[in-house]
Amino acid sequence: MHFTYTFAAIALLASTAAVAGPVCTDEPQSKWLTEAQMTEKFKALGYTDDVKKLHVSRGKCWEIYGHDKAGKKVEIYFHPITGAIVEANVKG
């Protein structure tokens, strides 16, 4: 019985971590790239310029939703200081 509860707790923690997204930095936002700079970087990487949502994720990354060249929805996490892609998810 104890094994079942332990396994369930581990599974719950793993699923919660997956939903939360990556962790990027603890640096103050004064050191981050601006929203305008991140939008331009997103476009420069070949994503369409219809940025649907740009915000700071729980892990303190820039999180951007938009579309790739094939028209598929994307969710991309960028490191807010370097602008490097930390995680990219394509949907549909």
Side-chain angles (χ1 to χ4, degrees):
M1 188 69 129
H2 178 70
F3 174 76
T4 303
Y5 291 127
T6 302
F7 182 75
I10 291 170
L12 179 63
L13 287 173
S15 66
T16 302
V19 172
V23 174
C24 288
T25 188
D26 284 325
E27 291 291 330
Q29 286 191 339
S30 62
K31 294 184 177 183
W32 291 20
L33 297 169
T34 66
E35 287 186 34
Q37 289 170 317
M38 286 311 310
T39 299
E40 286 306 312
K41 176 142 184 98
F42 188 75
K43 293 177 192 177
L45 290 171
Y47 297 100
T48 59
D49 62 358
D50 65 334
V51 173
K52 299 294 183 193
K53 183 177 180 183
L54 171 91
H55 70 101
V56 177
S57 68
R58 289 183 187 173
K60 296 186 180 176
C61 305
W62 277 121
E63 182 178 7
I64 301 177
Y65 294 85
H67 292 86
D68 65 11
K69 291 178 184 178
K72 293 182 180 180
K73 292 180 182 179
V74 294
E75 171 190 35
I76 303 182
Y77 294 87
F78 289 92
H79 191 280
I81 296 171
T82 66
I85 293 175
V86 178
E87 183 178 307
N89 301 304
V90 178
K91 301 175 182 185

